[in-house]
Amino acid sequence: MPESNRVFLVVVDDSDEMRAALMFACRRARQTGGRVALLRVIEPTEYQHFASIGNLMRAEARQNAETLLERLATEVNEMSGQLPVLYVREGNPREQLIALIDEDPQISILVLAADTGSNGPGPLISALTGKFIGKLRVPLTIVPGNLTEAQITAIT
């Protein structure tokens, strides 16, 4: 497959459904000659009684994020055939996601997976399909979080 400029961005969080978005993005990247980008957003700590403890907590959160992304990078490489672009940001996930998409012109598609439980699709999808939809400059692909590997393979 000839290489394309298409970059599929996946937000890495701790949800079960994130795996469906990751697999979908990897399969689409492989099929189109694109690549995957992974974003992990570290939400700021509220612990501010002692600055040194807050700094230590922030450094530990960043290290955990980097370790997680490195592990996922190996999986992405196996599934898509290319190493992903990795981003770690600190702040509000929605704000950081929109800022990254605005800053990186190579990102061409955002892939998120929806929670299929009774609480709705998740806060990020709810925000991005609601009042923040106009802030996205790229298409948003929403993958049902309960799709199996076989189902994702069949549709990609």
Side-chain angles (χ1 to χ4, degrees):
M1 175 68 58
E3 195 170 312
S4 75
N5 292 333
R6 186 176 291 185
V7 175
F8 297 84
L9 177 62
V10 177
V11 177
V12 175
D13 59 18
D14 299 322
S15 68
D16 293 333
E17 61 270 10
M18 184 275 302
R19 305 290 301 166
L22 183 65
M23 183 177 295
F24 182 91
C26 288
R27 300 269 316 148
R28 290 295 301 138
R30 182 179 283 277
Q31 295 297 324
T32 63
R35 64 189 303 197
V36 174
L38 303 176
L39 168 64
R40 176 72 172 191
V41 179
I42 304 164
E43 296 194 54
T45 60
E46 297 298 322
Y47 195 87
Q48 297 183 10
H49 295 302
F50 299 99
S52 62
I53 293 174
N55 289 339
L56 182 61
M57 290 172 70
R58 188 176 302 110
E60 184 175 314
R62 182 163 190 91
Q63 180 60 48
N64 289 342
E66 290 172 356
T67 300
L68 173 61
L69 289 179
E70 288 172 10
R71 182 176 51 78
L72 289 175
T74 301
E75 293 178 38
V76 169
N77 188 35
E78 291 170 4
M79 287 190 282
S80 73
Q82 289 194 34
L83 287 172
V85 180
L86 305 177
Y87 299 97
V88 176
R89 299 243 177 153
E90 185 174 336
N92 174 284
R94 184 194 71 243
E95 292 170 3
Q96 292 302 314
L97 172 61
I98 291 170
L100 175 61
I101 290 171
D102 286 343
E103 293 165 16
D104 189 340
Q106 295 223 318
I107 295 172
S108 49
I109 298 173
L110 173 60
V111 180
L112 299 174
D115 185 351
T116 57
S118 61
N119 293 331
L124 197 52
I125 291 176
S126 294
L128 293 175
T129 57
K131 66 180 181 177
F132 293 97
I133 190 72
K135 302 262 185 200
L136 290 178
R137 65 159 188 79
V138 299
L140 169 60
T141 299
I142 300 174
V143 179
N146 60 355
L147 291 182
T148 66
E149 183 176 346
Q151 290 170 317
I152 292 171
T153 299
I155 63 174
T156 56

